Amino acid sequence: MEIPEEKYELTPVENNVKPARRRKTKSRVWNYFTVESVSAECKRAFCNTCRRSFAYSTVQENGSTKVAGTSHLKRHLEKGTCARTRRTRANSASGASTGVSESRKRRYRSPAYTAVFNPDICRHDIARMIIMHDYPLDMVEHPGFQSFVQSLQPQFGAVSFKTIQGECVASYLSEKQKVMRLIDAMPGRVCLSLDMYMSRNSVGYVFITGHFTDSNWKTQKLILNVVLEPYPDSHNALSHAVACCLSDWRLESRLFSLTLNHPVPEAGLENLRSHLCVKNPLILNGQLLLGQCISQTFTAMVIDMLSAGRDIIKKIRDNMKYVTTSQNHVDRFVDLKRQLQVPGEVRLFLDDQSQWNTTYQMLVSASDLKEVFSCLDTVIPEYKLAPNMEDWKQVESICTYLKPLSDAMNLLVSSSCPPAITLFQEAFSIHAKIACAATSGDPFVCSFIKPMQDKIEKYWKECGLVLAISVVMDPRFKMKLVEFSFSKLFGEESPLYVKMVDDGLHELFDEYLTLPLPQSPAYSVNHGNVDRADEHQGGNLSEYGLADFDMYIMETTSQQLKSEMDQYLDENLEGRSSNFDLLEWWKQKRSKYPTLSKMARDILSIPVSTASPELVYSTRPRELSPHARSETLEALVCTKDWLQHGLPEDFAGLDSLAVSDLSNPALKIEF
């Protein structure tokens, strides 16, 4: 219902008499409200139809009366929250007479715009909200949520669990079509990374993420599947998950590498390798096929160190608890620190045992405050927990070898996709420090250095070639950085390791010369007609007795293309600048290095580190949210990732998927 504007009457000026004060006429809202006294100091306005009360006037402490006005009363009528007002509007919309004259209607204020209520859009937006913020699906049936929605829009009916589940799956199917078109347009190969999450009932879920470089030479990272594995410790668990992903996205012959972000027994790795050999060409004899996430290796090394120093770490933690859990102890500690003139702004810090970086911060804080802890019994006589000199020596040793690992992990957290050159330098630096510490005569240091050294050497053995080749594909470093680093790390044996990298590079390049182009739908659409036209126009040259000539052309062309690698390595290094875009450089050089650029595109897509920032420092197995449901987990997780990625509606050069493609099993999810 519209409320008329307030009008004012003016007294005309006659005989030089000043006009009388403007008199405000009675607002028309009082046709629908009645003022009643609820107490001696308070009056309220009651709606004549729904009897809801509103503030009108109150007597202040100083005796003055405060009047609330009529704006809130108008809003009550305009919003339609009054039942009679809603009925009046409905009758007016259907052509029924409202009993109000046309002249009065014209004096009513017209709203600036009229919002159209669409329940379908509301349900769609609720589904997006649940997906983006990881809310449980059954929240739509919570009384509190339903009451909140009703207060916003009384016309919006209650939404059931099944309804919102269907909306979430519909969003998943819609976004999946966009991802499918993006992958179909991918000119190269795809790399996968695997993460294992556990539910409370010990059921495993394999999160599979795809990493690739798109047709615009931009790196893409998308969660493709979440596969349920009832027996996550079985040898074929990962094989089954990877097979589901490759089939779902039509990637059987386009896989380049797999990166694992959790420990896998050797039997499981062999099962996975043999399964992938069936439909995927083994690049470089499978040396690049399976790799370990470098952050997982670093975390395993940290756990070895913390396990060896668990006694002294517990002692430091108990000291921190003793001081921080009592404000009296904190005050005395701070006063003593001031008296001892301990420099710096060091503060007390108690760790979270599930995050090893907080344990490192606690040890560093305790080491900086060791003088205060040593004298704390002078101000707190009952304090008997002070570490001795040998304890502080062990704390300093742990901090010394945790620092490079902490610095490396901070680099991983600071970037969603850290460049291979950064990880190569960090792995090289940590390996060198661990090798130097292995010669230490300190029994405590030796207790954790040996297992740490075994892990970093195992990583170099399995993944060193990937790291080194990725560095060579950077025109700012090429083989020079590999030669320099290996000379520091391996000494006299460095030429042998450098030759292994050089041989691997050339062998990989030779394979790219002979490998067929990936048979993607995008490639078929763009090139299929040309091939058929050539067949109709000239036929096969070998039919005219030129088979030997064809062989000669292939051999000479192959020899010319092979020189791309040597030409690239022989050229001067590019300048090192902070804004250097590696993929953009290869994009600009693809005409000069047609085969080498394809090889670089795939190599630079390999995810050397795959851990998400919130899990980099975790020392516990990855666990799912308690309200996660297996039947919709994949739809919710994948859709959230795709929405955050911001996929475009269409991709240039490709036709949209037909509606009939929804019948494809790859685009379905079972409840």
Side-chain angles (χ1 to χ4, degrees), residues 370-401:
K370 64 180 178 181
E371 185 179 357
V372 184
F373 279 106
S374 299
C375 301
L376 190 58
D377 57 350
T378 60
V379 295
I380 307 178
E382 60 272 18
Y383 173 70
K384 306 295 182 184
L385 301 174
N388 55 37
M389 294 302 297
E390 183 62 27
D391 293 336
W392 289 120
K393 182 180 177 181
Q394 292 183 6
V395 170
E396 291 177 359
S397 297
I398 295 175
C399 291
T400 298
Y401 296 105

Side-chain angles (χ1 to χ4, degrees), residues 313 370 440 451 497 598:
I313 293 174
K370 64 180 178 181
S440 172
Y497 292 96
K598 296 175 184 177

